[in-house]
Amino acid sequence: MKMSSSRGLILYHALPSSYSQKVVLALKYLNLTYESRLVNLFDGEQLEPWFLDLNPKGEVPTLKDGDLVLTDSADIIQHLNDRYDTRRSDEKLIPNPVTPVGRSVAEVNQLICSVKTFVLTFGAAFHPQHTENSTLSDEESKGRRAFVDKMTECIREKLAVAKPPYKESYTYKLTKISTGGALLKDENVFLAELKSTREVLERIEDHLSRSQGKWIFFDHLTLADISLAVLLYRIKKLGLQHHFWAEGSLPNVASYLDRVLKDPTVAESLS
Ligand SMILES: N[C@@H](CCC(=O)N[C@@H](CS)C(=O)NCC(=O)O)C(=O)O
């Protein structure tokens, strides 16, 4: 696939971050070259002033395209689509949303993105009794279990001596982690998310059962496929697949994952 050429794309990302994985998959699928700068979230590198200068929310992924800095995965993929995907509108990663195809891609993508991947991810780390055959490394599991407490302490320390504009960033992050952190450890929140994920995947099963192509809509990938491939891969890696597609249930979801994992671009983008 020929794309307009990219100059000076720099991606700040983390390998265990599903939002980062979506952007990596979009970049690789569009054949765009980029400089990869890994940010170690478990060590709190996202809290360092050099990174907050780029993204005051202290989150990955963050993309620099020349002077433009984008700090949200959805905005980044939209930008890559608009600027670099030179194919016809209906063949693009994000087809024009006012067309019927574009509307369907946007709706299915929104449905998939309604799954709170971070709740599943932290839930699996805190409640491993609900997982089977997880392929997470020990380092990743331990890193996630320690994350909330370690980050809370680290942000408090930095906030105590911070000057503007970092003070605002640390205050934002402390509020976010204080309100969200306890929920990530709560087993009932995790179980409720497993249930709503099941409902989402049942609706995806229905879409896939009507699909003719390799991907959800076509023989080429769209934004909805990026979201689905990353989500299903994460579920499998966490060892949660038996809640969804074990023993013949959701067969189209199961075969979609098998199929897309054989795609070299997908395999290269996920970790
Ligand atoms: N809305 C953002 C969310 C990004 C996000 O939550 N990233 C997580 C990693 S998956 C992060 O950077 N966490 C570090 C932190 O909050 O300190 C996007 O879609 O890019």
Side-chain angles (χ1 to χ4, degrees), residues 73-91:
S73 57
D75 295 343
I76 296 172
I77 298 173
Q78 185 72 55
H79 169 75
L80 297 176
N81 176 78
D82 297 348
R83 178 146 185 201
Y84 298 109
D85 193 343
T86 51
R87 293 171 297 171
R88 279 184 5 211
S89 165
D90 58 338
E91 293 176 345

Side-chain angles (χ1 to χ4, degrees), residues 40-103:
N40 190 329
L41 301 180
F42 296 145
D43 281 351
E45 209 179 345
Q46 72 279 24
L47 304 173
E48 293 297 328
W50 72 264
F51 187 67
L52 295 177
D53 288 341
L54 273 174
N55 180 353
K57 287 187 290 181
E59 288 173 355
V60 290
T62 292
L63 182 85
K64 259 189 106 188
D65 185 354
D67 290 336
L68 180 71
V69 179
L70 294 159
T71 59
D72 184 87
S73 57
D75 295 343
I76 296 172
I77 298 173
Q78 185 72 55
H79 169 75
L80 297 176
N81 176 78
D82 297 348
R83 178 146 185 201
Y84 298 109
D85 193 343
T86 51
R87 293 171 297 171
R88 279 184 5 211
S89 165
D90 58 338
E91 293 176 345
K92 278 163 89 105
L93 209 50
I94 310 179
N96 187 341
V98 302
T99 62
V101 158
R103 210 167 25 249

